[in-house]
Amino acid sequence: MVFCMLIRTFAVYIISIMGKIIALANQKGGVGKTTTTINLAASLATLEKTVLVVDADPQANASSGLGVNIQEVDCSLYECIIDKADVRDAIYTTDIDGLDIIPSHIDLVGAEIEMLNLTNRERVISKLLEPIRNDYDYILIDCSPSLGLITVNALTAADSVIIPVQCEYFALEGISKLLNTIKIIKTKLNPKLEIEGFLLTMYDSRLRLANQIYDEVKRHFQELVFKTVIQRNVKLSESPSHGLPVILYDADSTGSKNHLALAKEIIQKNS
């Protein structure tokens, strides 16, 4: 028992030295994956952690949401995967000190087909990130709303996964399929993969439905649910159109405070 605890503590210590890779995944669209990725990353950087966002969604919303002009990107995740470009050439800085991003591109849509002929095709992103893992405290991977090969790559590369769940009708729809995918990846590709937590998003305490969903998620997943809840917030919705995380757009907003609380919860959990 004591030996197992020592091994677990040592594993956490090794990850903290190397930098922790967290994927944000849910094949259901519109649950707040990208919003969470952008604002959690900015909050972690504000708390003096070094952070890299990997935009693994062909829509590239995390890239534009952090101020990257997609039209001016010469090297993106696509070039790293398909053309074997140096991953360091794909790293772009942002307006927040300590926060970098590997942007996405619409070409990533076709990457899954092109990857089919690659050896160890499920481990491409894992191998990509290995040389730069020590450069960051946290690497956040924004997954696309699917359970395709790119998402499998992200989960294979990750130490843990955050699952955003919107406080709306059909919130838990598809969660069992995602959990099954995580179980398969943990069994066959990535034994260290854990669930970092379920994150309730778009929460409005005035709505009975939102409170019912909150109670249901807590009942199902118990201690795996983050204490922090991301509330519905106008400033949080507006900030991506300005190419800014909400902490730069309006630091006093509810959205900013929620994501700072989430960042602190994750730091505390992994310290």
Side-chain angles (χ1 to χ4, degrees):
M1 180 75 173
V2 174
F3 180 71
C4 289
M5 287 177 66
L6 285 171
I7 290 294
R8 195 176 297 116
T9 303
F10 182 68
V12 170
Y13 174 70
I14 290 295
I15 287 172
S16 67
I17 291 175
M18 295 177 68
K20 185 163 192 178
I21 302 176
I22 304 175
L24 287 93
N26 189 333
Q27 78 275 21
K28 191 173 186 294
V31 298
K33 281 190 304 295
T34 300
T35 299
T36 303
T37 303
I38 291 169
N39 292 294
L40 172 58
S43 297
L44 286 166
T46 301
L47 296 170
E48 300 186 337
K49 298 297 181 182
T50 51
V51 187
L52 174 69
V53 169
V54 179
D55 191 349
D57 185 347
Q59 296 175 85
N61 290 332
S63 304
S64 57
L66 284 172
V68 176
N69 186 340
I70 307 302
Q71 309 304 321
E72 296 177 359
V73 169
D74 296 319
C75 186
S76 69
L77 183 62
Y78 174 83
E79 281 76 23
C80 294
I81 291 174
I82 302 303
D83 301 334
K84 296 190 169 47
D86 188 332
V87 67
R88 294 183 194 277
D89 292 337
I91 296 174
Y92 291 74
T93 57
T94 71
D95 290 334
I96 294 183
D97 288 341
L99 174 55
D100 296 337
I101 181 167
I102 296 177
S104 184
H105 193 277
I106 190 63
D107 289 348
L108 204 58
V109 169
E112 297 200 352
I113 296 170
E114 296 178 71
M115 289 169 71
L116 290 176
N117 295 323
L118 298 178
T119 53
N120 282 329
R121 58 180 180 259
E122 298 89 358
R123 302 183 188 275
V124 176
I125 290 178
S126 180
K127 288 180 180 177
L128 262 178
L129 296 179
E130 205 57 45
I132 57 171
R133 183 173 180 146
N134 296 343
D135 299 345
Y136 298 94
D137 295 315
Y138 293 95
I139 297 175
L140 305 183
I141 308 177
D142 183 30
C143 298
S144 64
S146 75
L147 293 177
L149 188 52
I150 298 288
T151 298
V152 169
N153 260 262
L155 294 172
T156 303
D159 299 302
S160 64
V161 54
I162 292 174
I163 303 171
V165 180
Q166 67 186 128
C167 291
E168 294 183 357
Y169 198 60
F170 294 135
L172 297 178
E173 189 181 61
I175 290 289
S176 60
K177 189 174 181 181
L178 174 60
L179 292 177
N180 190 50
T181 299
I182 290 170
K183 183 180 177 182
I184 291 168
I185 288 170
K186 188 175 171 68
T187 303
K188 298 188 175 181
L189 294 167
N190 183 8
K192 71 180 186 296
L193 182 64
E194 301 291 345
I195 294 175
E196 189 75 20
F198 290 84
L199 177 68
L200 288 152
T201 63
M202 306 176 196
Y203 177 73
D204 187 338
S205 60
R206 298 168 301 178
L207 300 178
R208 182 187 297 176
L209 177 62
N211 290 300
Q212 287 174 342
I213 289 166
Y214 178 86
D215 292 340
E216 190 176 355
V217 172
K218 287 287 285 183
R219 183 167 54 82
H220 270 85
F221 304 113
Q222 299 173 15
E223 74 281 353
L224 284 176
V225 181
F226 284 109
K227 294 183 179 70
T228 305
V229 172
I230 308 300
Q231 295 166 270
R232 279 199 179 277
N233 179 240
V234 173
K235 298 295 184 183
L236 187 59
S237 302
E238 289 175 353
S239 59
S241 64
H242 295 269
L244 294 170
V246 72
I247 202 164
L248 289 186
Y249 183 64
D250 188 343
D252 291 326
S253 67
T254 300
S256 178
K257 291 172 183 175
N258 288 165
H259 284 95
L260 269 172
L262 176 63
K264 288 174 183 175
E265 190 175 343
I266 288 171
I267 290 169
Q268 186 176 14
K269 185 177 180 181
N270 289 284
S271 60

